[in-house]
Amino acid sequence: MQPVPPKIKHGLAAGADAAPHRADWTVDQNWHQYTPAQHAAWKTLYQRQTQLLPGLACDAFVAGMRKLPLSAHSIPNFEQLSQVTMKATGWQVVAVPGLVPDDVFFDHLANRRFPVGNFIRGAHELDYLEEPDVFHDVFGHLPMLMHPVMADFIQAYGVGGKRAQGLGKLTELARVYWYTVEFGLVRQKEGLRIYGAGIASSYSESLYALHSPRPQRIAFDLERVMRTQYRIDDVQESYFVLNSLDQLLELAHLDFMPLYARLNGLPSYAAGQVVVTDARLPPEPEP
Ligand SMILES: [Fe+2]
């Protein structure tokens, strides 16, 4: 058996001493420092997902993926990515060392800057990752950031995040991001499709989220989502399904204050819990 290399922590997970010099936690991408092994890890992940996702990811994701300057050859250069995302939806891609503090994250999003981890996972952890790396952040998120609705929604989330932090309501709001931006499904006329970055950047979860009989697939209901816990250590037990991406636009313009008041003191639902009022959807048939 090969010895497993020790886990290297990045960004906030590496401890407060690892904070970069800049207050906004941005760093230079240092593209020239990537090793051939790191570019090879990107290639494996990129080829696997670009072959898998047409037919599983929603049309907007596939269109965004094809418009970005991505290729199997190497980890992309963030400046080149930024030129394309700026032109499409006004978003800039900035490098960060890994997870950043919540207030820093929200400030970036509120100003249409998308923080991307500048490291890539090792070859021994291609299928499961605790910290978002360059593949998750670029391949998972940027295709949907090319879509005007998602572009506006994520900015609104940054603004709302700062407010929620001040109100002590971050847990509830973070669930909205988790079950949309990270693990969202959407109906298309052909059936359920993936738009969440956490699914789209994972080979096994892309198949599981659409086809497995195990998880719940529930029609999106904002209050239900805000009361639902989630898993960070395994595939999800519940997915929430939008009728269309335009639902995100409604959320971007919604005043959450009355919702926070209404949900105050109500118990949370466990990640895979079934609630009697849920509108549940069947898995997609295998092709
Ligand atoms: Fe993410």
Side-chain angles (χ1 to χ4, degrees):
M1 216 171 105
Q2 290 283 324
V4 177
K7 272 208 182 329
I8 300 168
K9 298 283 187 187
H10 302 86
L12 194 60
D17 293 345
H21 297 303
R22 296 179 203 150
D24 68 359
W25 282 65
T26 58
V27 294
D28 295 330
Q29 185 188 10
N30 280 332
W31 188 88
H32 292 287
Q33 290 191 11
Y34 292 122
T35 64
Q38 290 172 324
H39 287 304
W42 169 274
K43 182 177 184 175
T44 302
L45 294 162
Y46 177 85
Q47 287 183 328
R48 221 165 49 160
Q49 288 311 95
T50 45
Q51 283 164 20
L52 178 70
L53 287 181
L56 300 186
C58 70
D59 290 346
F61 187 100
V62 176
M65 179 178 91
R66 290 182 174 151
K67 281 185 207 146
L68 288 164
L70 302 175
S71 82
H73 301 302
S74 60
I75 296 169
N77 179 303
F78 296 173
E79 278 178 30
Q80 290 170 6
L81 288 172
S82 270
Q83 284 172 14
V84 176
T85 53
M86 276 298 270
K87 214 169 155 189
T89 51
W91 276 80
Q92 185 190 355
V93 176
V94 293
V96 289
L99 291 172
V100 300
D102 287 336
D103 57 332
V104 174
F105 183 62
F106 295 138
D107 197 56
H108 280 304
L109 300 188
N111 290 286
R112 276 172 126 88
R113 291 188 303 265
F114 197 76
V116 170
N118 70 344
F119 70 96
I120 190 155
R121 68 196 78 182
H124 60 289
E125 50 188 354
L126 289 185
D127 287 310
Y128 175 67
L129 188 69
E130 287 174 27
E131 296 179 90
D133 69 343
V134 61
F135 186 75
H136 168 86
D137 283 338
V138 167
F139 189 89
H141 284 287
L142 295 193
M144 288 306 295
L145 262 189
M146 297 284 284
H147 191 278
V149 166
M150 185 59 93
D152 286 357
F153 177 67
I154 296 187
Q155 181 186 15
Y157 178 74
V159 175
K162 288 203 256 191
R163 200 176 303 140
Q165 224 179 359
L167 297 166
K169 296 295 178 188
L170 206 47
T171 301
E172 289 82 353
L173 189 69
R175 289 169 178 164
V176 181
Y177 188 87
W178 188 266
Y179 282 118
T180 57
V181 176
E182 294 292 355
F183 290 95
L185 298 177
V186 62
R187 282 185 221 240
Q188 248 178 223
K189 59 180 184 309
E190 306 86 353
L192 298 187
R193 292 293 181 268
I194 297 159
Y195 73 91
I199 309 175
S201 58
S202 162
Y203 183 86
S204 54
E205 191 151 1
S206 293
L207 295 167
Y208 168 90
L210 287 192
H211 299 306
S212 169
R214 274 179 48 209
Q216 312 298 326
R217 296 170 190 81
I218 305 163
F220 187 89
D221 178 288
L222 182 57
E223 291 188 23
R224 167 74 161 99
V225 166
M226 290 174 76
R227 291 178 63 182
T228 306
Q229 297 164 355
Y230 55 79
R231 300 197 60 151
I232 58 166
D233 59 341
D234 203 349
V235 290
Q236 300 305 301
E237 294 176 43
S238 296
Y239 298 95
F240 290 90
V241 183
L242 297 177
N243 279 326
S244 85
L245 293 174
D246 287 342
Q247 260 181 293
L248 295 178
L249 208 53
E250 292 165 28
L251 293 183
H253 294 123
L254 197 71
D255 177 8
F256 276 67
M257 288 298 281
L259 269 170
Y260 293 141
R262 198 154 62 236
L263 298 182
N264 203 15
L266 292 179
S268 296
Y269 298 118
Q273 191 172 337
V274 176
V275 179
V276 68
T277 48
D278 288 344
R280 293 162 66 196
L281 300 156
E284 280 294 291
E286 303 267 357

